[in-house]
Amino acid sequence: MKSQIIPIENKYSNEIVELILNIQQKEFNVAITIEDQPDLLNIKNFYYNGGGHFWGAFINNELVGTIALVKFADKEAAIRKMFVKKEFRGKEFSIAQKLLDTLLDYCNENQIDDLYLGTITVLEAALRFYERNHFIRIEKEALPNTFPVMSADNVFCHLKLKKNDEYN
């Protein structure tokens, strides 16, 4: 089964909402509703208009994963909405890795030097995934002032994308 990662917009809102809410509410019992996430109903304005992006992973025309990028400063952005359906997680499909790689390529092409994310402690597997991809846990106080903190988030990570000259 081959996966395809493509930019997605508002016309996929229903599938995106169903995928994300199922994982948040049913799988991880996170007390969050669609009302808490109005961005999912207006992807174009929330993500694209500010210089960010939103991608979907599809297998056989089924949305199986999402990742989004919110640009909140000239060279800084945040990962949002990284979700993969349970049955498509893991190395067999590598959906999460393909989604993250797509986002990282976009950052490199668009001069985004610092990438941040917020998540919750219950998502330990996600945290391990980010750490395998060189993200470093940071304190909330170390976040840039303009970082858009989500109320549920209690763990934060940072990835420096721009390499120092000595490493080039």
Side-chain angles (χ1 to χ4, degrees):
M1 281 194 278
K2 190 162 167 19
S3 61
Q4 181 187 22
I5 311 284
I6 60 167
I8 56 176
E9 288 187 27
N10 294 347
K11 72 175 187 172
Y12 289 98
S13 281
N14 290 341
E15 292 100 315
I16 292 167
V17 167
E18 186 180 327
L19 172 85
I20 291 175
L21 282 181
N22 262 321
I23 294 169
Q24 289 172 326
Q25 295 173 345
K26 296 192 173 107
E27 191 176 342
F28 290 101
N29 297 313
V30 178
I32 192 166
T33 65
I34 186 59
E35 289 75 25
D36 298 320
Q37 307 172 84
D39 55 300
L40 294 180
L41 301 175
N42 201 343
I43 288 164
K44 193 162 175 52
N45 283 348
F46 191 86
Y47 292 97
Y48 288 90
N49 288 358
H53 221 77
F54 203 109
W55 294 270
F58 292 84
I59 292 180
N60 297 335
N61 296 319
E62 177 191 358
L63 181 67
V64 299
T66 60
I67 194 169
L69 184 76
V70 174
K71 194 170 173 198
F72 63 85
D74 192 34
K75 295 186 175 295
E76 297 174 322
I79 294 180
R80 283 279 176 79
K81 307 304 177 194
M82 168 67 130
F83 291 99
V84 177
K85 273 190 179 173
K86 195 174 194 170
E87 55 271 32
F88 294 100
R89 290 182 199 147
K91 286 189 171 42
E92 182 188 347
F93 296 101
S94 295
I95 299 292
Q97 192 63 57
K98 289 174 185 169
L99 284 165
L100 181 62
D101 290 345
T102 301
L103 181 141
L104 292 173
D105 288 345
Y106 179 87
C107 288
N108 287 324
E109 290 161 16
N110 290 277
Q111 289 80 49
I112 294 168
D113 298 340
D114 287 282
L115 198 51
Y116 295 87
L117 65 93
T119 187
I120 53 176
T121 44
V122 71
L123 302 178
E124 269 305 321
L127 278 163
R128 286 194 303 275
F129 168 77
Y130 289 122
E131 287 171 345
R132 277 197 308 276
N133 280 281
H134 313 290
F135 280 81
I136 294 163
R137 290 193 200 201
I138 59 171
E139 295 300 316
K140 188 176 183 180
E141 295 72 37
L143 289 167
N145 292 338
T146 48
F147 178 83
V149 176
M150 301 288 287
S151 57
D153 291 346
N154 62 6
V155 182
F156 302 92
C157 298
H158 173 237
L159 177 64
K160 187 95 182 127
L161 292 171
K162 187 144 172 90
K163 307 283 187 276
N164 295 335
D165 290 337
E166 63 195 80
Y167 297 115
N168 287 348

